[in-house]
Amino acid sequence: QVRLVESGGGSVQPGESLRLSCTVSGYTNCMGWFRQAPGKEREGVASMSGGGSKYYADFVRGRFIISKDTAKNTLDLQINNLRTEDTAMYYCAAGPRSCGLYSRYFNAWGQGTQVTVSS
């Protein structure tokens, strides 16, 4: 059974950076980050396969960087140049096979970490 615990969220001003981290226990192939803003549907942000392939949503390319730290068993998301529209609950997710940004690829979810961007 896969267990995911997110950390690193917070309240920041536009233009600042945050680093989200997801501690993973159990076997998984694909790992990713999703987000859900109030009143909006959950959307995929970035994911990474066991083989190292990375997938990014078009709206975050160049600002968000996904990476793994195998020694610490974490999946990290570096978020740079944060915008007010990035305000959302960010969720870590894991899946056993296919990888990408479709939520159907994932069968394990963390509790989420809140990111709030405001001036």
Side-chain angles (χ1 to χ4, degrees):
Q1 184 175 356
V2 177
R3 184 168 179 264
L4 309 169
V5 180
E6 303 97 333
S7 61
S11 295
V12 297
Q13 295 186 343
E16 294 185 339
S17 299
L18 278 175
R19 189 174 185 87
L20 308 184
S21 186
C22 175
T23 301
V24 184
S25 61
Y27 171 78
T28 182
N29 176 48
C30 182
M31 293 194 63
W33 288 94
F34 286 73
R35 70 184 187 183
Q36 187 167 20
K40 295 187 177 181
E41 293 187 354
R42 183 174 58 191
E43 59 185 358
V45 174
S47 67
M48 188 170 179
S49 72
S53 297
K54 299 180 181 182
Y55 307 85
Y56 291 100
D58 288 342
F59 58 82
V60 303
R61 188 178 293 274
R63 295 192 299 122
F64 291 27
I65 302 171
I66 192 169
S67 63
K68 287 181 184 178
D69 187 328
T70 54
K72 297 180 180 179
N73 287 334
T74 61
L75 177 77
D76 298 329
L77 185 69
Q78 177 69 35
I79 312 175
N80 300 317
N81 191 21
L82 277 154
R83 303 169 180 169
T84 55
E85 56 263 38
D86 294 321
T87 295
M89 184 70 79
Y90 283 72
Y91 297 92
C92 179
R97 291 177 292 276
S98 300
C99 203
L101 297 178
Y102 295 108
S103 58
R104 65 176 182 267
Y105 291 160
F106 301 87
N107 61 1
W109 298 83
Q111 294 299 307
T113 186
Q114 178 69 37
V115 172
T116 302
V117 186
S118 67
S119 55

